[in-house]
C-alpha cells in the first residue's frame, strides 16, 4: 500500500516544523492554505498523533517552514486574535520555536530543541532560569543528574 504523494516517512521533522510555526503565531487555518494539508490533518500532526507522513506532505510543510518561520503572521494578514490563540496553544504545550532548531538536525530523532544554545546541560538550565524560560526536559534532566544534593535540600524544605 502506497500513500498518495510518495513514500511514507517518519512525521517527526514535520511535526516539529508545524509546532514551531505555531509558536510564531501561525494558525492552523492559514497553515492549511500554505501547505495544502487539511486543518484536521494539521491538528493531528501538531498533536504528534500521526507517525508517518507522505513525502509530499513533508515537502509542503518544510517549504512553509522556510517561508514563514522568520515572518510575522500579523504582517501577513493573520488576525491578532488568531495569532495569539496559536501562540497560547504552543506555549501551553511547550513547543519549541524555529530558532531552537537547526535545519540539519530538525529531522533527527536524537536532536533536542536548543532554547538556550546549551540545552541538555546544567549551563542550559541556568540560562532557562536566568531568562525566566521554563526548563526544557533535557535541561531538567541534566540538573537532576548533576545536582542531586539540591533535590535533597528541596525535599527537606
Ligand atoms: Zn533547555
Amino acid at each position: 500500500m502506497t500513500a498518495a504523494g510518495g513514500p511514507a516517512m517518519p512525521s517527526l521533522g514535520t511535526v516539529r516544523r508545524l509546532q514551531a510555526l505555531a509558536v510564531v503565531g501561525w494558525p492552523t487555518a492559514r497553515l492549511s492554505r500554505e501547505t495544502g494539508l487539511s486543518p484536521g490533518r494539521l491538528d493531528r500532526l501538531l498533536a504528534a498523533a500521526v507517525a508517518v507522513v507522505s513525502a509530499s506532505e513533508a515537502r509542503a510543510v518544510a517549504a512553509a517552514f522556510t517561508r514563514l518561520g522568520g515572518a510575522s503572521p500579523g504582517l501577513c494578514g493573520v488576525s491578532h486574535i488568531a495569532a495569539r490563540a496559536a501562540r497560547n496553544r504552543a506555549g501551553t504545550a511547550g513547543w519549541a520555536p524555529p530558532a531552537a532548531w537547526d535545519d540539519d538536525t530538525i529531522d533527527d530523532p536524537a536532536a533536542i530543541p536548543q532554547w538556550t544554545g546549551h540545552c541538555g546541560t546544567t549551563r542550559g538550565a541556568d540560562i532557562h532560569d536566568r531568562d525566566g524560560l521554563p526548563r526544557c526536559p533535557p535541561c531538567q534532566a541534566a540538573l537532576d543528574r548533576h545536582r542531586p544534593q539540591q533535590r535533597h535540600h528541596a525535599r527537606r524544605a
Side-chain angles (χ1 to χ4, degrees):
M1 211 166 64
T2 310
M9 53 196 286
S11 67
L12 180 67
T14 301
V15 169
R16 286 171 170 172
R17 286 178 177 89
L18 288 171
Q19 290 179 343
L21 288 172
V23 173
V24 178
W26 294 101
T28 304
R30 180 61 180 266
L31 291 176
S32 175
R33 270 164 51 202
E34 298 282 347
T35 61
L37 277 64
S38 74
R41 178 74 170 164
L42 289 171
D43 271 331
R44 286 191 300 279
L45 283 163
L46 279 164
V50 177
V52 293
V53 294
S54 71
S56 69
E57 285 178 320
R59 267 197 309 273
V61 170
F65 181 75
T66 302
R67 215 163 49 237
L68 305 176
S72 161
L75 294 177
C76 298
V78 174
S79 77
H80 180 69
I81 290 170
R84 194 174 53 195
R87 281 196 298 268
N88 285 347
R89 178 185 183 187
T92 302
W95 295 338
W101 293 110
D102 193 310
D103 272 352
D104 296 332
T105 56
I106 191 166
D107 292 296
D108 179 357
I112 59 171
Q114 281 296 332
W115 298 83
T116 64
H118 299 278
C119 281
T121 68
T122 54
R123 184 168 173 203
D126 287 343
I127 296 172
H128 280 283
D129 294 350
R130 185 195 71 196
D131 294 350
L133 203 62
R135 283 179 205 145
C136 68
C139 283
Q140 185 61 52
L143 213 55
D144 291 346
R145 269 195 315 276
H146 290 277
R147 296 182 184 170
Q149 72 281 8
Q150 284 203 350
R151 270 195 310 182
H152 292 152
H153 187 74
R155 274 202 210 100
R156 261 185 265 119

